[in-house]
Amino acid sequence: RARGVKPNPYHVWLSEIMLQQTTIAAVGKYFAAFTTLWPTVQDLAAAPLDDVLVQWAGLGYYARARNLHACAIAVVEQHGGKFPSSAAALRDLPGIGDYTSAAIAAICHDEQVAVVDGNVDRVMARYLALPRPVREEKPLIRASVQAAVPKRAGDFAQAMMDLGATICAPRRANCLVCPLKSDCAGAATGEPL
């Protein structure tokens, strides 16, 4: 972004779909193979579904691969090969839900929309010191993140996800280096669970 290069919506979409229920370490070689075989959404849409499924082998959850192919076709046929820029329009595509649509819209187009994954849920649960389980507080978490989204929504989304993956990690929060520590209710208690 600093050099004026915007994220490629095709690459963001592909990585987000591949990363569902899968680790970054496992996805790397698959992402490289897909973008080599099918460098554009048009190429992926034109590929036979069986070829896509063969390349997907090992990532599991094959419905994701079928939806990936169907989505590529929809982007080409309904949107001229360009992903919609809004989260609302992206949600209408096969296999794209709230999280993925928000991630693409924020990261690629800076739409000021809350991008909330499991990492962000955990950060916010600790930050707000939620008294109830995350699953019961999803609307509050989404509203809190939405209220904080700045104009550089993509950078914010990626920073929040990275914060949850590295500093406010699942098993241990490293509050000493957390940029949110001064306002974190969980850190104030001394036990950010």
Side-chain angles (χ1 to χ4, degrees):
R1 282 187 192 264
R3 291 183 227 123
V5 178
K6 289 188 174 188
N8 181 331
Y10 172 62
H11 290 169
V12 172
W13 163 72
L14 185 59
S15 66
E16 290 297 346
I17 299 299
M18 287 182 168
L19 286 166
Q20 293 170 3
Q21 306 297 316
T22 311
T23 65
I24 291 173
V27 165
K29 67 181 181 179
Y30 289 92
F31 181 83
F34 267 71
T35 55
T36 298
L37 288 168
W38 305 296
T40 68
V41 71
Q42 291 88 343
D43 296 323
L44 181 58
L49 176 58
D50 287 343
D51 291 357
V52 173
L53 292 171
V54 165
Q55 290 303 314
W56 192 270
L59 272 177
Y61 303 100
Y62 286 88
R64 290 185 297 163
R66 286 187 281 281
N67 281 332
L68 186 83
H69 191 252
C71 185
I73 291 169
V75 168
V76 169
E77 291 178 355
Q78 298 168 17
H79 300 281
K82 294 187 181 208
F83 280 86
S85 60
S86 75
L90 286 159
R91 266 191 305 278
D92 291 336
L93 293 169
I96 295 185
D98 290 339
Y99 167 76
T100 303
S101 64
I104 296 166
I107 294 168
C108 297
H109 304 289
D110 278 324
E111 181 179 347
Q112 289 180 275
V113 60
V115 180
V116 181
D117 68 352
N119 287 320
V120 175
D121 275 338
R122 182 179 49 264
V123 169
M124 293 306 294
R126 289 173 175 164
Y127 183 80
L128 299 169
L130 296 177
R132 299 183 320 178
V134 167
R135 68 182 171 278
E136 295 175 26
E137 298 287 2
K138 292 271 189 183
L140 174 61
I141 290 171
R142 181 167 297 286
S144 298
V145 174
Q146 184 62 55
V149 178
K151 288 186 180 183
R152 289 177 53 185
D155 291 341
F156 177 77
Q158 291 176 309
M160 288 294 289
M161 291 185 282
D162 287 349
L163 179 67
T166 59
I167 294 173
C168 198
R171 291 198 169 94
R172 183 167 126 359
N174 187 355
C175 298
L176 186 63
V177 296
C178 181
L180 302 180
K181 180 182 177 184
S182 63
D183 295 321
C184 180
T189 68
E191 294 185 39
L193 304 173

